[in-house]
């Protein structure tokens, strides 16, 4: 669990309920020791800044390139992308890690007051998933080999490429652990 900023406590609890031995990652030695990583929701520009400050940006990109399984929710989806639309102010922008060949638009559904909840059909999971969208991104382009797992408002909001999964919504705050189980089962 990348624990630099964001809703780390909720993800750690969800991962443990899904059967993972979840730990907080804040240092290079911790990144080097893990078998998979969750990048939480939060503020993508702040997380990018902290990844640089803690000298984790390039090591994380390298681990993803080497095949590290990862799951990102909301800001985590933004960071796992290969390209970000409206990345923020130059010098303080969100930085793509390149875990999934996709273009993501930050805050695509609107501002904080535009946050909403919706039940979405999620490929591979029985029934619908109650999705909470908070200043959420959406996917504008997917590359070859990227599977769309769920859509909302006509846009992909959950995707997978290999063992990297990303959602625009926050399953960690709903009590539904199926998305976390899906990730943990890929480790």
């Amino acid at each position: 669990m990348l624990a630099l900023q964001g809703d780390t406590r909720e993800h750690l609890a969800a991962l443990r309920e899904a059967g993972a031995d979840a730990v907080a990652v804040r240092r290079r030695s911790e990144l080097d020791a893990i078998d998979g990583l969750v990048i939480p929701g939060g503020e993508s520009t702040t997380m990018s800044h902290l990844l640089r400050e803690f000298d984790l940006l390039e090591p994380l990109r390298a681990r993803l390139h080497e095949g590290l399984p990862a799951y990102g929710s909301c800001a985590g989806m933004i960071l796992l992308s290969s390209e970000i639309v409206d990345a923020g102010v130059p010098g303080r922008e969100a930085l793509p890690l390149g875990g999934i060949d996709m273009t993501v638009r930050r805050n695509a559904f609107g501002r904080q007051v535009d946050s909403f909840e919706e039940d979405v059909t999620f490929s591979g999971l029985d029934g619908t998933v109650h999705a909470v969208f908070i200043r959420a991104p959406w996917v504008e382009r997917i590359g070859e080999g990227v599977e769309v797992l769920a859509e909302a408002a006509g846009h992909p909001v959950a995707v997978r490429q290999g063992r990297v999964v990303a959602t625009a919504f926050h399953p960690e705050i709903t009590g539904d652990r199926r998305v976390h189980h899906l990730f943990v089962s890929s480790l």
Side-chain angles (χ1 to χ4, degrees), residues 11-150:
H11 272 294
L12 283 168
L15 287 166
R16 289 176 180 139
E17 287 177 36
D21 181 18
V23 297
V25 172
R26 294 183 187 93
R27 295 176 184 81
R28 172 76 185 265
S29 61
E30 295 163 342
L31 177 64
D32 291 342
I34 59 172
D35 297 322
L37 181 68
V38 171
I39 303 174
E43 174 48 53
S44 59
T45 57
T46 299
M47 281 193 252
S48 293
H49 171 73
L50 292 171
L51 283 167
R52 283 189 304 255
E53 288 295 313
F54 284 83
D55 196 28
L56 289 172
L57 182 64
E58 292 308 321
L60 179 51
R61 282 181 174 151
R63 289 287 320 266
L64 289 167
H65 181 72
E66 294 164 1
L68 177 71
Y71 165 55
S73 68
C74 198
M77 171 185 257
I78 295 165
L79 295 177
L80 283 173
S81 72
S82 56
E83 181 181 20
I84 304 168
V85 177
D86 293 336
V89 177
R92 294 281 301 166
E93 69 271 23
L95 301 171
L97 296 169
I100 297 177
D101 183 11
M102 64 179 170
T103 302
V104 173
R105 179 175 296 276
R106 289 176 66 236
N107 303 324
F109 287 102
R111 301 171 57 96
Q112 187 79 23
V113 297
D114 300 312
S115 299
F116 66 99
E117 300 180 27
E118 178 179 319
D119 291 337
V120 298
T121 300
F122 196 108
S123 180
L125 299 180
D126 292 332
T128 60
V129 171
H130 187 71
V132 178
F133 295 89
I134 304 169
R135 291 179 39 211
W138 67 40
V139 178
E140 294 202 345
R141 178 201 60 83
I142 59 169
E144 192 173 317
V146 177
E147 177 186 6
V148 175
L149 301 173

Side-chain angles (χ1 to χ4, degrees), residues 125-186:
L125 299 180
D126 292 332
T128 60
V129 171
H130 187 71
V132 178
F133 295 89
I134 304 169
R135 291 179 39 211
W138 67 40
V139 178
E140 294 202 345
R141 178 201 60 83
I142 59 169
E144 192 173 317
V146 177
E147 177 186 6
V148 175
L149 301 173
E151 293 186 353
H155 294 277
V157 293
V159 295
R160 173 175 45 206
Q161 184 172 23
R163 296 193 313 165
V164 181
V165 177
T167 61
F169 53 88
H170 293 267
E172 72 280 2
I173 63 176
T174 66
D176 184 343
R177 301 303 183 223
R178 292 178 294 160
V179 174
H180 289 85
H181 278 283
L182 178 74
F183 172 64
V184 170
S185 70
S186 75

